Amino acid sequence: MTNLSKIKILNAIFFFLLMALMISCGSTKKSDVKILTNEELYRPNLHFTPKSGWMNDPNGMFFYKGLYHLSYQYYPNDNVWGPMHWGHATSKDMIAWKEEKIALYPDEMGYIFSGSSVVDVNNTSGFGSLKNPPIVAMFTYHDAVKAKTGAIDFQSQAIAYSLDEGITWTKYKNNPVIKNPNIKDFRDPKMTWDAIHNQWIMVLAADVETQIYRSSNLIDWELASGFGKNLGVHGAPWECPDFFPIKVEGSNEMKWVLLQSINPGGPNGGSATQYFVGDFDGKTFSIGDSFAQDLNKYGALWVDYGKDNYAGVTWSNVPDADGRKLFIGWMSNWQYADKVPTKNWRGSTTIPRELKLINIDGHYRIVSQPVKELEKYISNTIKKELLAIDKTTVIVDKSTVDMAKLDIRFTMNGLKDDNYNFILSNAANNAVHFGINKKEKIFYMDRKKASETTFSDEFANKMSTAPITSDFNSIEVRILIDKTSIEVFYDNGKTVMTEIYFSDAPMESFSIAKANADFELKNITINQLKIK
């Protein structure tokens, strides 16, 4: 060995010893040492995300023969939006997902934009048989070449069908089934079997309104009516509607709910999903006086007031014996979705949720909670009957649980007109602050100090808020914590806030700050989840 080689080896040993000493003394900057890669640090435990590529809106969701199918807007060749495909995943419980091969590819007619799938159990389309009913998908063709010419009619509606339970698909030879009526933003068909009126119905985002179509066979569609031109939040084209009947909790009353996403226009900036409650006569959807009054008062009612729940829709073909309205959204925001600091992949889903409709003194509200299937992944439970809060108090930390897989529930008692601030934090000085400010009559979420934010000026430029619409001195709270997200369900899901973050290191502690007056947390349940 030459002297030069020996010097190089000694220098390398010295360098590594020096780095070890600097780390142990805390003298390195956070940017100098990365203990975890972005992929290890940021890929969720509890939420579906593709192994690689770009993902946005959930599409084509149906339940069949024990499997939940989830398709989604997908670009496999990059981590930013591109020529859209339908990715595909399956699950027995909506929690543990298996990524399947791509369902639909773009072709000479265009990209494959958002849409829906239904199980045609009576073979009304004629694509299958009663013994082997077809799965029928409807999607928007987006002709990017035509769009670049300045034409308006570059989006149309097409269908495809599967005879092997959603694994492979055949595009209908006479596509499109609905041509563009000279509307620039004309997309995202969501089909539903309307058993009340014995017909297929489909809602479609058509610029600043929702169009409702009817069909007997999923091929020939008739425009029945339009809704919403002067209702709710506008200022941008509407997107990704969903429309379904739902029974009011604790009664036999049936109402219809329209989910309608918009970007931008969300309550805290960027994209979000508003909803409307009313009646449907088989052709026309209308809201009643009380819901109209709510819209006049609040401008809109939102499925989720956080910044990161968009384009959510429900599963079709859920058995009547189950009876739930099962929902999932895209857990990001168009303000920064293509800039977040992940590399191999971008995009994930919210936790799947059950939607319910309640009546509060004549006012209808959508409420949501994580699906009950999540509970089968509980590996350990910590219970605390009572915490009297008279100073900043740690509720749980990494000494007893994995902070990236938690389902936390408790009741807050003795609340006054004060600010009740929860803190999810780590030793790298990252912190998500969220809670209840009764004095200002808001729920809030503040991630300004939660993570790296330089990738977007709009990611954490302000605190997100949701209005408190009733008075209370006691409230139920549920919190789902993953590696890079927090989902908070207040008052049994009457107000929900979902937001993502990208901390420099895993979160380590969950605390609550001291308020001006003492208060209590009761019936604290901390569920450790065992996933991945």
Side-chain angles (χ1 to χ4, degrees):
M1 183 181 294
T2 65
N3 287 336
L4 181 60
S5 297
K6 291 178 181 178
I7 290 170
K8 286 181 177 179
I9 292 170
L10 289 171
N11 282 341
I13 294 171
F14 175 77
F15 174 78
F16 285 115
L17 288 172
L18 179 61
M19 287 298 295
L21 179 62
M22 291 172 69
I23 293 169
S24 66
C25 294
S27 60
T28 55
K29 297 177 182 178
K30 287 186 287 184
S31 58
D32 293 332
V33 179
K34 289 290 185 183
I35 298 173
L36 295 174
T37 67
N38 284 351
E39 300 308 300
E40 293 170 320
L41 184 59
Y42 296 149
R43 190 182 289 277
N45 290 310
L46 312 178
H47 302 80
F48 173 76
T49 193
K51 293 182 179 70
S52 63
W54 164 273
M55 170 191 147
N56 58 284
D57 308 352
N59 296 154
M61 295 149 49
F62 66 94
F63 177 82
Y64 192 57
K65 292 188 176 180
L67 280 181
Y68 294 91
H69 291 254
L70 167 68
S71 290
Y72 47 91
Q73 290 287 275
Y74 185 48
Y75 184 44
N77 300 327
D78 205 343
N79 66 358
V80 293
W81 190 93
M84 284 292 98
H85 304 54
W86 272 21
H88 183 208
T90 57
S91 174
K92 294 180 180 179
D93 57 16
M94 299 173 283
I95 305 298
W97 290 94
K98 176 187 176 185
E99 193 167 347
E100 306 282 2
K101 66 181 182 180
I102 292 171
L104 293 172
Y105 287 82
D107 57 35
E108 68 280 358
M109 293 184 68
Y111 301 167
I112 310 296
F113 271 22
S114 290
S116 55
S117 297
V118 293
V119 181
D120 185 10
V121 292
N122 293 318
N123 193 33
T124 62
S125 63
F127 292 138
S129 64
L130 292 176
K131 186 176 180 180
N132 184 31
I135 315 298
V136 179
M138 178 178 274
F139 56 90
T140 296
Y141 262 132
H142 176 90
D143 188 336
V145 175
K146 195 172 187 178
K148 286 181 180 179
T149 68
I152 291 177
D153 59 341
F154 54 83
Q155 293 182 340
S156 59
Q157 315 317 313
I159 58 176
Y161 60 92
S162 172
L163 298 179
D164 58 3
E165 302 176 14
I167 301 303
T168 60
W169 295 83
T170 301
K171 291 170 183 169
Y172 180 50
K173 63 182 180 180
N174 293 324
N175 277 331
V177 294
I178 302 177
K179 295 180 179 180
N180 189 294
N182 210 36
I183 298 174
K184 182 179 179 182
D185 297 289
F186 184 70
R187 56 179 179 263
D188 311 336
K190 181 63 164 72
M191 301 180 292
T192 303
W193 173 249
D194 174 11
I196 298 170
H197 304 101
N198 197 35
Q199 61 183 351
W200 292 106
I201 57 172
M202 182 268 288
V203 283
L204 187 68
D207 191 20
V208 295
E209 72 170 349
T210 304
Q211 290 186 344
I212 302 173
Y213 288 76
R214 303 188 295 180
S215 176
S216 62
N217 60 9
L218 296 168
I219 299 170
D220 303 301
W221 292 92
E222 169 200 5
L223 176 61
S225 61
F227 172 85
K229 277 188 176 180
N230 300 308
L231 294 170
V233 169
H234 288 278
W238 281 7
E239 297 185 316
C240 301
D242 195 357
F243 188 49
F244 51 84
I246 187 170
K247 193 172 282 189
V248 179
E249 286 294 297
S251 77
N252 290 319
E253 182 183 17
M254 186 72 73
K255 305 297 284 187
W256 284 74
V257 169
L258 172 69
L259 307 182
Q260 186 61 73
S261 292
I262 186 170
N263 172 61
N268 289 294
S271 39
T273 302
Q274 57 190 319
Y275 69 88
F276 304 87
V277 180
D279 298 296
F280 180 59
D281 62 7
K283 183 176 181 180
T284 302
F285 176 59
S286 59
I287 60 172
D289 291 340
S290 67
F291 201 83
Q293 291 168 9
D294 291 335
L295 292 181
N296 288 333
K297 184 175 181 179
Y298 301 112
L301 295 172
W302 302 92
V303 171
D304 194 313
Y305 283 83
K307 291 198 52 130
D308 296 307
N309 183 356
Y310 189 59
V313 288
T314 58
W315 267 275
S316 70
N317 204 49
V318 176
D320 291 341
D322 182 318
R324 292 177 294 170
K325 296 299 179 185
L326 300 172
F327 167 99
I328 200 168
W330 175 45
M331 197 162 61
S332 197
N333 190 305
W334 280 115
Q335 288 183 329
Y336 42 75
D338 60 349
K339 302 179 181 68
V340 298
T342 58
K343 303 301 180 186
N344 293 335
W345 56 275
R346 280 199 176 112
S348 60
T349 61
T350 66
I351 208 71
R353 303 171 186 183
E354 180 183 0
L355 302 184
K356 294 182 179 181
L357 184 65
I358 62 172
N359 185 333
I360 306 173
D361 299 325
H363 297 271
Y364 297 99
R365 293 289 185 272
I366 285 285
V367 299
S368 64
Q369 289 278 8
V371 293
K372 63 185 180 183
E373 285 83 350
L374 186 64
E375 296 183 5
K376 80 175 190 177
Y377 290 92
I378 296 172
S379 62
N380 186 42
T381 298
I382 299 171
K383 292 201 173 188
K384 302 179 182 181
E385 293 302 318
L386 178 67
L387 278 179
I389 311 300
D390 59 1
K391 60 183 179 181
T392 297
T393 302
V394 174
I395 299 171
V396 69
D397 64 23
K398 69 173 185 177
S399 66
T400 54
V401 296
D402 179 348
M403 293 294 299
K405 303 175 184 178
L406 286 184
D407 180 356
I408 302 172
R409 313 176 201 191
F410 51 81
T411 302
M412 301 180 71
N413 284 339
L415 304 186
K416 311 289 193 303
D417 286 345
D418 205 343
N419 181 28
Y420 300 92
N421 181 37
F422 293 96
I423 308 138
L424 180 64
S425 61
N426 62 22
N429 295 319
N430 301 134
V432 179
H433 292 263
F434 65 97
I436 305 166
N437 189 330
K438 286 199 68 185
K439 187 174 182 179
E440 301 294 331
K441 298 190 182 306
I442 57 169
F443 302 99
Y444 63 88
M445 182 87 70
D446 188 347
R447 60 184 177 186
K448 287 194 290 290
K449 297 180 180 179
S451 60
E452 170 61 50
T453 61
T454 57
F455 59 84
S456 169
D457 292 337
E458 296 177 303
F459 182 75
N461 61 339
K462 65 175 184 176
M463 180 173 69
S464 299
T465 64
I468 293 176
T469 58
S470 62
D471 192 24
F472 55 82
N473 58 22
S474 177
I475 190 170
E476 304 287 329
V477 181
R478 183 174 182 182
I479 305 159
L480 288 186
I481 300 172
D482 202 342
K483 285 183 183 178
T484 53
S485 66
I486 182 166
E487 296 164 275
V488 186
F489 301 81
Y490 293 108
D491 199 9
N492 296 305
K494 293 185 181 70
T495 300
V496 183
M497 301 188 78
T498 299
E499 301 212 347
I500 57 176
Y501 57 86
F502 301 93
S503 55
D504 299 300
M507 292 301 190
E508 300 173 346
S509 178
F510 176 55
S511 309
I512 185 163
K514 179 185 185 318
N516 289 320
D518 296 351
F519 62 100
E520 296 177 343
L521 299 190
K522 292 187 67 175
N523 303 322
I524 303 166
T525 300
I526 301 162
N527 289 321
Q528 179 73 79
L529 301 171
K530 186 177 181 180
I531 299 175
K532 294 185 183 178

